[in-house]
Amino acid sequence: MKQKIENFFRDLWLETSNLLSQHPILESVQGTLSLPSALCLVPKEFAGLDGRPLIPSDASKFTYISSSYPAETWDALKSLGVKILAAEDFLDDLSHFIEAWPDRFQSIPTEWHSCLAKVLDPLVTEYEDRIMALRFIQLRDGTLVSPDSGNLLFTTTLDNLVIPEQIGALVVHDDINNDHSRRILLQKLGAQIPDKTAVCRIILETHSSNEFIPEVIKTHNLVEHAVFLRKAGWDSFTPEDALWVVAEDGSCHHGYSLYLGSNDLYSAKQLLNQCNRNSILTKGFLFIHAGYSSFFVEHEDRRWLRKTLEVSEVPRLACRSEQSATYTVDPGFKLLLNYLQTKDLLQMLKVNWSHYQEWIVFKSSQDADGNTQPDTEPSTVNDGNKRNHGLDISLLRKELKRLISEVTVSCWDGSTKLCRTCLPRESVLRDLNIPGSRLINHAIPTNQESTTQAESDVSVALFPVLDIRDPEDPAWDFLQNFGVIVKVTAKELVIRLENLQERPIPSRILRIYEKIQACAVHDGESLRYTTRTSNYIILTNDVPGEISTIKN
């Protein structure tokens, strides 16, 4: 009898539940009555901290059942046909939410995103592929990406350096970096805490890319790119590493086209100030943006800018094209030749000669076999293929020497080209028999008293005396590279002799021969070498007033 009663009630419930499931008898979360099969129960593993479904009801593809039904009724609700949200359903619903309402998804409080990470974490083992395709990761720039979009980076390096923005990498939002649950999940999905070297390489590769447009990058971000490289101690620049730098006018250039302000007397900045920042002159000198000055303050920081980014404090003699690795005379230097007073130009060359020397003077070095090899490349040439530019650099050196040598300078008696002058040093004036009345604190030896006025006039005409201060300073020796006589030698005199071919005046030629003969006493070897290598020697004929030349 008892068995029959149990079977009766069991059958009655089945019939009753089937009947009830066909009618809208259950309340939805919206407060409307719905069919049990149209409703969905969300288990706690897919719910928020408050027990409600993690995905908002108005953003879900599913209709949630009212929260007024206690957990004790869930078995009965399931028997009526109410659906239990499965993991696959949740992931599909999450994807729908993100794609349909991306702005809303991102605007939800960080606590919600932290809870989502806790929900997704245990699902990675079984549903990794599906989770990898979900665009649920917020980047620092406000975009949403999926884990399979590329290499994800946290915002700080292993050395706790903050990664700058707009470097062409997928850097996650700061909120993620500060949330333990989200960090753990993203690390499972491949996100990395990079080392500083990797970030440096990313920055440089981004700047070197043909697709990189520096003008669309915010100025402070471009500044931060350089700051990060400096903080990371990066100095291993290759020829392909050309960081874009912001100029003071907002334009973007590579460092080798820009200048760094300096208070040194003969720096580019101070020379422009001396010219009252002539509007034409300033066009040849672009300085880096003021935003860099607050970060690159110390001497070593500024040295890093000069060495690594190739910005310069002093006017350049040569510049590299941004379109190719060819070198030409710097336009700014050409402007200085026209607008800067020659005394300032010469002082600039003197003070900065250690910087300029390699662009003017040919050097030689020894190869592995000990053979002497010409070094035609300045050390600042950084194009990665120096051999292709040896001829260009050689011609450039000659052009630079020509331009400087032909600058018109002030002399004791008028003006002339620099290459025709001599220094007003005591030894030079004595050896050339030039009166030294213009010298300050330097008395010329008494043997000049025997020099006739005519002889003096010839000497002054042959060797115009450069009007400069402190001529005894050895630092002026560099002027010999531009034809200035800084010490009377056979070589210098023969060069002057060759120059007289254009205007051969017998009295002057004879005077030079006399000086060459005097040099032979103590400079015989140099004289023999000079006469062997000289192209032309001018000779006086027996007939007075006639001149002829011979070729060695």
Side-chain angles (χ1 to χ4, degrees):
M1 184 65 179
K2 182 178 180 181
Q3 183 66 36
K4 290 181 179 181
I5 293 174
E6 289 177 353
N7 290 340
F8 170 77
F9 281 105
R10 184 185 62 210
D11 295 338
L12 178 62
W13 171 245
L14 290 174
E15 293 177 4
T16 302
S17 61
N18 287 335
L19 179 64
L20 292 173
S21 65
Q22 299 174 24
H23 293 81
I25 60 170
L26 297 178
E27 184 181 7
S28 70
V29 73
Q30 287 84 11
T32 60
L33 293 177
S34 303
L35 292 172
S37 59
L39 297 174
C40 179
L41 282 167
V42 179
K44 63 180 181 179
E45 53 263 40
F46 304 129
L49 296 176
D50 56 2
R52 291 185 295 181
L54 194 62
I55 299 175
S57 60
D58 59 339
S60 176
K61 296 192 298 182
F62 301 98
T63 303
Y64 300 141
I65 196 169
S66 173
S67 59
S68 60
Y69 297 98
E72 292 81 6
T73 63
W74 279 31
D75 288 339
L77 294 173
K78 286 188 288 185
S79 66
L80 292 174
V82 177
K83 179 181 179 64
I84 301 294
L85 191 71
E88 295 90 339
D89 299 324
F90 174 77
L91 294 175
D92 285 341
D93 206 21
L94 177 60
S95 178
H96 171 262
F97 176 34
I98 296 171
E99 298 303 325
W101 290 278
D103 293 339
R104 181 180 178 186
F105 175 80
Q106 292 198 78
S107 64
I108 297 178
T110 56
E111 293 79 11
W112 184 93
H113 287 279
S114 181
C115 188
L116 174 63
K118 294 175 182 177
V119 170
L120 292 176
D121 192 292
L123 301 179
V124 171
T125 303
E126 187 174 353
Y127 301 101
E128 181 175 359
D129 290 343
R130 298 186 68 169
I131 295 175
M132 288 290 290
L134 286 174
R135 292 197 313 122
F136 72 97
I137 300 174
Q138 297 170 294
L139 297 184
R140 193 166 51 184
D141 63 4
T143 59
L144 289 173
V145 298
S146 57
D148 61 6
S149 297
N151 294 328
L152 295 171
L153 303 179
F154 290 106
T155 56
T156 56
T157 67
L158 293 170
D159 307 275
N160 289 322
L161 293 177
V162 178
I163 299 176
E165 297 185 27
Q166 294 182 289
I167 65 169
L170 303 178
V171 182
V172 301
H173 197 278
D174 292 338
D175 290 342
I176 297 176
N177 197 63
N178 299 323
D179 188 316
H180 176 75
S181 299
R182 297 167 80 179
R183 283 177 62 90
I184 294 299
L185 173 63
L186 292 195
Q187 284 180 300
K188 281 188 178 181
L189 299 175
Q192 300 175 349
I193 304 174
D195 61 61
K196 60 186 180 183
T197 302
V199 177
C200 289
R201 180 47 57 191
I202 290 173
I203 293 173
L204 295 173
E205 288 176 353
T206 297
H207 279 246
S208 300
S209 171
N210 292 330
E211 299 177 356
F212 183 69
I213 305 176
E215 289 78 10
V216 303
I217 308 298
K218 295 178 180 178
T219 295
H220 71 270
N221 286 338
L222 285 174
V223 173
E224 286 290 348
H225 294 181
V227 171
F228 184 91
L229 293 173
R230 170 60 181 145
K231 289 182 177 179
W234 186 267
D235 59 2
S236 304
F237 271 52
T238 66
E240 293 76 23
D241 297 334
L243 198 75
W244 288 96
V245 182
V246 189
E248 59 185 351
D249 64 356
S251 59
C252 295
H253 308 265
H254 289 123
Y256 52 72
S257 299
L258 297 175
Y259 287 91
L260 179 64
S262 169
N263 292 324
D264 291 345
L265 186 58
Y266 291 99
S267 65
K269 177 183 176 182
Q270 296 306 317
L271 287 171
L272 288 181
N273 290 338
Q274 289 181 37
C275 297
N276 297 318
R277 298 197 68 85
N278 180 295
S279 59
I280 298 177
L281 193 56
T282 54
K283 291 180 181 178
F285 296 88
L286 275 177
F287 288 83
I288 62 174
H289 194 276
Y292 292 90
S293 60
S294 58
F295 295 98
F296 295 91
V297 178
E298 301 299 328
H299 173 76
E300 285 303 311
D301 296 330
R302 295 172 63 86
R303 180 177 178 276
W304 184 89
L305 282 176
R306 297 193 302 270
K307 176 179 179 292
T308 310
L309 300 190
E310 297 184 72
V311 299
S312 180
E313 291 182 341
V314 301
R316 296 181 177 88
L317 300 186
C319 65
R320 175 154 56 109
S321 168
E322 291 194 357
Q323 287 71 38
S324 64
T326 57
Y327 286 79
T328 58
V329 178
D330 189 86
F333 179 65
K334 288 184 177 180
L335 290 171
L336 287 177
L337 292 177
N338 292 327
Y339 289 95
L340 194 63
Q341 293 186 23
T342 54
K343 63 181 183 65
D344 291 325
L345 177 67
L346 295 179
Q347 284 287 347
M348 178 193 82
L349 293 171
K350 174 189 174 186
V351 171
N352 300 317
W353 182 244
S354 61
H355 180 81
Y356 295 142
Q357 182 176 8
E358 60 183 358
W359 287 103
I360 302 296
V361 181
F362 287 86
K363 294 182 179 180
S364 61
S365 59
Q366 288 189 334
D367 59 20
D369 299 323
N371 300 316
T372 300
Q373 299 292 333
D375 177 18
T376 59
E377 298 286 349
S379 61
T380 51
V381 172
N382 187 27
D383 54 39
N385 192 5
K386 291 186 175 183
R387 293 180 182 177
N388 289 341
H389 301 283
L391 180 60
D392 292 339
I393 297 299
S394 177
L395 293 176
L396 175 59
R397 276 196 173 108
K398 292 179 180 179
E399 176 64 7
L400 285 169
K401 290 184 71 171
R402 184 190 68 80
L403 288 172
I404 298 173
S405 298
E406 295 183 355
V407 167
T408 299
V409 295
S410 298
C411 300
W412 282 6
D413 297 298
S415 61
T416 188
K417 292 181 179 180
L418 177 66
C419 60
R420 296 175 179 171
T421 66
C422 66
L423 278 185
R425 286 178 172 170
E426 179 180 344
S427 59
V428 172
L429 297 179
R430 180 185 63 242
D431 292 344
L432 296 178
N433 296 113
I434 297 174
S437 59
R438 291 285 301 274
L439 283 175
I440 300 175
N441 298 327
H442 288 282
I444 301 301
T446 56
N447 67 337
Q448 284 199 7
E449 296 175 359
S450 62
T451 302
T452 67
Q453 184 63 43
E455 290 175 333
S456 297
D457 291 343
V458 171
S459 294
V460 171
L462 275 173
F463 310 105
V465 182
L466 186 61
D467 190 9
I468 59 170
R469 298 182 59 184
D470 195 17
E472 302 296 333
D473 184 354
W476 285 115
D477 287 353
F478 79 94
L479 287 176
Q480 64 188 322
N481 295 286
F482 307 107
V484 179
I485 295 179
V486 301
K487 180 181 179 181
V488 179
T489 65
K491 178 181 178 182
E492 297 291 347
L493 294 171
V494 170
I495 291 174
R496 293 301 171 95
L497 192 61
E498 291 175 337
N499 292 339
L500 284 178
Q501 292 178 86
E502 298 177 2
R503 298 179 60 190
I505 301 174
S507 60
R508 297 183 180 182
I509 294 172
L510 288 172
R511 175 52 53 87
I512 293 181
Y513 270 126
E514 292 173 359
K515 299 303 177 186
I516 291 175
Q517 185 175 3
C519 286
V521 177
H522 53 79
D523 199 16
E525 184 61 34
S526 174
L527 176 59
R528 283 190 289 272
Y529 175 79
T530 301
T531 54
R532 285 199 304 269
T533 58
S534 177
N535 289 331
Y536 290 91
I537 297 294
I538 305 175
L539 302 174
T540 57
N541 291 332
D542 293 336
V543 180
E546 292 187 6
I547 304 296
S548 65
T549 63
I550 63 171
K551 183 176 182 180
N552 277 345

